[in-house]
C-alpha cells in the first residue's frame, strides 16, 4: 500500500526552504524596501566576497557600481509597486572592487497581511558565460573579417547542401541579396548551359560527403559571365558526420584566357614546326636516294611526334619513359633493338625536370649518333631509370650507357653539349652528374632528389 505524502509542518517547511537557500548555487539575498540587506546566503559570500555579518544591515548599493546605481532606483520603485523584476544581465562589485557579470531576478516580499516589506534577489554569476560569449563574438568577427577579405566568393551550406551564408564578395559580384539566394536561388546566377551538370555533381557530393570541385561561369551584376573554379569541403562533427559545407568560387577568367592564348600560340608553333619539317622532308626526298630519304623522313616524323607530346601535356609534366622516347625520336627505329629503356617508366616529371632531363637525353642521343655507339651498325645504348632510398631521401638514378661503338676518349674541351648534360642538371635539379669515358663507350649518370623532380598534382 502506497503511503501518501503529507504536507510539511510550518517548522519543517521553513527548515526545508532554509536548506534550499543555504545550499543554492546562486546568491539569494533579501532586503527591505529601502535596499537594506536582511539575509545573505553562503553563495552570496562566495560570489561577492562579503560575509553575511558584513552585509546584513548594510545597503545593497555597496554591490552596485556607480554607473549602475540607477538600476537599484528602478528596482526599488518597481518592488514598492508590487512588480517582479524579470531576469536581466548586469554588473555588480566584488569586495575586491572587481566587476562581476551576473544575471539578476528580483521579486517583492509580502508579510502575512499582504503588505510589501522588501524584496528577494537571486543573482547568478555569469562571468564564465560572458567570457564564452565574448570569445564567440570575437571568433565570429574574426571569421567574417577573414571571409570578407579573401578574393574568392565564399559560402556555407548545411549538411544537405542548403546554402545559408555568403560572404560580401558574393553579393558584390552577383548584385544579389541573401533573400534572393534562399533555397535554390543560387541557380539564377549560373549559366543555363552548365546548371544541370553542376547541380548533378553537387548533389553527388551532398549524398556521399565527397569533396566537390567544378569549373563553370557565373553571372555578375553587370550581366556578364566570368569563369570560376569552385570547390566545397565537408566539415564533420565528432562522429564523422557532415555538419556543414564550406565552399569557394575563384575567378579564373583571366587565367583561362591566358591558357587559351598559350594553347593557340603553342598550336601555331607546332603547326609551323611541322611545316618546316615537311619542307625539309620534301627536299630530302628530291635530292637523296630513296632508302636514305625514307629513313631520314621517319626520323623527322618522330621529331614531329615529340613536338605533339609537349603540346598535348601543356608543360604540366611528362612520364619519364614517354619523355625519353620522345627525345630518342631521331633513332626511334632502334628502340627495343639497339636502344633499351629499363626500370621506372611512370614517374611524372615536373616541367622543369622534363625540360632539363629532355635536353640532356637529346644531347646524348645526338652525340651517340654522330660519334658514339649509334654511329656504327653494332653499338647499343642502355638507359636505366631507378628510384632508390638513401639517407638523404628518395632519389632518381638515370643512367645512359653506350657499348660497341667506336673507341671513345675524354674530349679536349667542354662545349655547349657539356652544359646540357652536366652543369644544367646540377643547377636546375640539384643533381649529381658523373661522366666517364671508358674505351668501350660513354657512361653518364644523373642522381637527383625525387622531390626536385616530381610534378605537383
Amino acid at each position: 500500500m502506497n503511503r501518501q505524502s503529507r504536507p510539511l509542518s510550518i517548522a519543517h517547511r521553513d527548515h526545508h526552504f532554509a536548506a534550499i537557500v543555504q545550499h543554492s548555487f546562486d546568491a539569494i539575498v533579501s532586503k527591505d524596501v529601502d535596499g537594506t540587506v536582511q539575509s545573505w546566503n553562503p553563495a552570496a559570500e562566495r560570489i561577492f566576497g562579503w560575509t553575511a555579518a558584513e552585509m546584513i544591515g548594510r545597503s545593497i548599493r555597496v554591490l552596485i557600481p556607480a554607473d549602475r546605481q540607477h538600476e537599484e532606483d528602478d528596482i526599488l520603485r518597481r518592488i514598492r509597486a508590487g512588480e517582479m523584476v524579470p531576469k536581466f544581465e548586469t554588473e555588480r562589485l566584488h569586495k575586491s572592487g572587481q566587476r562581476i557579470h551576473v544575471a539578476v531576478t528580483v521579486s517583492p516580499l509580502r508579510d502575512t497581511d499582504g503588505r510589501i516589506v522588501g524584496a528577494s534577489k537571486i543573482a547568478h554569476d555569469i562571468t564564465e558565460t560572458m567570457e564564452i560569449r565574448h570569445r564567440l563574438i570575437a571568433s565570429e568577427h574574426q571569421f567574417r573579417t577573414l571571409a570578407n577579405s579573401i578574393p574568392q566568393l565564399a559560402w556555407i551550406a548545411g549538411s544537405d547542401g542548403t546554402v545559408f551564408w555568403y560572404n560580401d564578395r558574393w553579393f558584390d559580384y552577383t548584385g544579389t541579396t541573401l533573400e534572393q539566394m534562399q533555397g535554390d536561388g543560387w541557380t539564377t546566377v549560373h549559366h543555363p548551359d552548365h546548371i544541370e551538370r553542376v547541380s548533378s555533381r553537387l548533389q553527388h557530393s551532398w549524398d556521399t560527403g565527397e569533396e566537390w570541385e567544378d569549373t563553370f561561369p557565373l553571372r555578375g551584376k553587370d550581366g556578364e559571365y566570368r569563369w570560376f573554379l569552385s570547390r566545397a569541403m565537408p566539415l564533420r562533427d565528432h562522429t564523422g558526420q557532415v555538419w556543414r559545407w564550406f565552399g569557394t568560387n575563384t575567378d579564373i577568367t583571366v587565367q583561362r584566357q591566358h591558357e587559351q592564348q598559350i594553347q593557340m600560340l603553342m598550336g601555331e608553333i607546332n603547326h609551323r614546326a611541322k611545316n618546316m619539317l615537311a619542307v625539309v622532308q620534301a627536299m630530302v626526298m628530291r635530292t637523296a636516294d630513296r632508302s636514305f630519304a625514307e629513313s631520314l623522313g621517319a626520323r623527322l616524323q618522330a621529331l614531329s611526334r615529340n613536338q605533339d607530346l609537349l603540346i598535348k601535356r601543356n608543360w604540366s609534366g611528362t612520364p619519364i619513359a614517354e619523355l625519353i622516347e620522345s627525345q630518342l625520336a631521331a633513332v626511334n627505329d632502334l628502340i627495343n633493338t639497339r636502344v633499351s629503356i629499363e626500370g621506372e617508366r611512370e614517374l611524372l616529371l615536373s616541367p622543369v625536370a622534363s625540360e632539363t632531363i629532355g635536353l640532356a637525353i637529346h644531347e646524348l642521343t645526338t652525340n651517340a649518333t654522330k660519334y658514339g655507339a649509334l654511329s656504327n651498325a653494332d653499338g647499343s645504348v642502355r638507359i636505366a631509370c631507378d628510384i632508390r632510398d638513401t639517407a638523404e631521401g628518395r632519389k632518381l638514378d638515370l643512367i645512359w650507357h653506350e657499348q660497341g661503338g667506336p673507341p671513345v676518349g675524354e674530349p679536349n674541351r667542354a662545349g655547349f653539349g657539356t652544359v646540357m648534360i652536366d652543369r644544367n642538371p646540377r643547377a636546375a635539379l640539384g643533381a649529381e652528374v658523373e661522366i666517364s669515358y671508358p674505351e668501350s663507350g660513354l657512361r653518364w649518370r644523373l642522381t637527383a632528389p625525387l622531390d626536385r623532380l616530381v610534378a605537383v598534382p
Side-chain angles (χ1 to χ4, degrees), residues 25-63:
F25 182 78
D26 295 329
I28 300 178
V29 177
S30 66
K31 60 186 178 182
D32 63 20
V33 293
D34 295 321
T36 301
V37 176
Q38 303 297 309
S39 66
W40 189 262
N41 76 336
E45 294 186 6
R46 175 178 52 80
I47 293 173
F48 298 112
W50 299 88
T51 66
E54 291 172 319
M55 282 303 299
I56 293 175
R58 195 169 186 173
S59 174
I60 195 69
R61 290 180 184 271
V62 73
L63 303 179

Side-chain angles (χ1 to χ4, degrees), residues 2 90 166 186 299 418:
N2 294 330
T90 184
Y166 298 86
W186 57 271
R299 289 171 179 171
T418 303

Side-chain angles (χ1 to χ4, degrees), residues 44-305:
E45 294 186 6
R46 175 178 52 80
I47 293 173
F48 298 112
W50 299 88
T51 66
E54 291 172 319
M55 282 303 299
I56 293 175
R58 195 169 186 173
S59 174
I60 195 69
R61 290 180 184 271
V62 73
L63 303 179
I64 305 174
D67 59 349
R68 292 185 178 271
Q69 288 291 330
H70 64 279
E71 293 180 354
E72 182 64 12
D73 295 336
D74 183 61
I75 290 171
L76 292 177
R77 178 186 59 77
R78 296 177 67 175
I79 289 299
R80 290 167 184 153
E83 298 178 20
M84 177 179 178
V85 180
K87 181 184 291 186
F88 66 98
E89 295 180 359
T90 184
E91 290 180 339
R92 293 295 183 256
L93 293 175
H94 187 270
K95 184 179 181 180
S96 64
Q98 179 183 355
R99 289 192 175 221
I100 305 169
H101 294 283
V102 292
V104 176
T105 303
V106 186
S107 304
L109 291 176
R110 301 175 185 272
D111 62 14
T112 55
D113 297 326
R115 291 175 301 181
I116 296 173
V117 295
S120 66
K121 179 178 79 172
I122 300 177
H124 179 69
D125 187 350
I126 60 170
T127 301
E128 184 176 347
T129 301
M130 293 299 293
E131 289 176 355
I132 294 173
R133 186 182 300 172
H134 289 157
R135 288 199 296 268
L136 286 174
I137 292 172
S139 178
E140 182 179 0
H141 176 72
Q142 183 178 10
F143 166 75
R144 289 186 178 276
T145 300
L146 176 63
N148 290 324
S149 298
I150 61 176
Q152 289 91 350
L153 316 184
W155 43 271
I156 300 176
S159 59
D160 62 350
T162 301
V163 182
F164 61 85
W165 178 88
Y166 298 86
N167 69 343
D168 289 348
R169 296 280 183 181
W170 174 277
F171 299 119
D172 291 342
Y173 173 73
T174 62
T176 60
T177 65
L178 181 60
E179 289 72 23
Q180 292 173 325
M181 293 293 98
Q182 295 295 322
D184 60 355
W186 57 271
T187 61
T188 61
V189 297
H190 281 246
H191 196 286
D193 293 346
H194 298 264
I195 188 61
E196 184 176 349
R197 171 180 59 83
V198 173
S199 297
S200 175
R201 295 186 64 176
L202 265 173
Q203 191 60 54
H204 175 75
S205 290
W206 305 153
D207 294 341
T208 62
E210 297 175 6
E211 296 179 16
W212 170 73
E213 181 176 312
D214 207 343
T215 304
F216 47 79
L218 291 173
R219 189 183 69 242
K221 58 186 176 184
D222 58 359
E224 299 294 324
Y225 284 92
R226 296 181 67 84
W227 281 86
F228 286 82
L229 171 63
S230 301
R231 294 188 174 99
M233 294 282 293
L235 307 179
R236 302 180 184 276
D237 60 22
H238 68 283
T239 67
Q241 298 299 310
V242 176
W243 171 64
R244 290 283 190 272
W245 289 88
F246 181 76
T248 58
N249 307 88
T250 304
D251 190 337
I252 59 169
T253 303
V254 174
Q255 177 185 344
R256 186 181 174 88
Q257 291 171 346
H258 287 169
E259 289 176 350
Q260 290 173 342
Q261 290 171 354
I262 292 171
Q263 188 68 28
M264 182 179 67
L265 290 173
M266 291 177 68
E268 178 63 19
I269 292 172
N270 189 38
H271 177 69
R272 289 176 182 269
K274 285 185 174 181
N275 285 345
M276 291 177 65
L277 290 174
V279 171
V280 172
Q281 185 174 0
M283 293 174 61
V284 170
M285 294 294 289
R286 290 196 299 269
T287 58
D289 66 83
R290 184 176 183 83
S291 175
F292 173 74
E294 289 178 351
S295 177
L296 181 57
R299 289 171 179 171
L300 290 174
Q301 287 296 321
L303 289 175
S304 178
R305 288 194 296 272

Side-chain angles (χ1 to χ4, degrees), residues 347-367:
L347 175 65
L348 191 65
L349 298 175
S350 68
V352 172
S354 297
E355 179 181 334
T356 304
I357 293 176
L359 287 172
I361 296 297
H362 174 77
E363 187 65 26
L364 290 166
T365 303
T366 302
N367 290 340

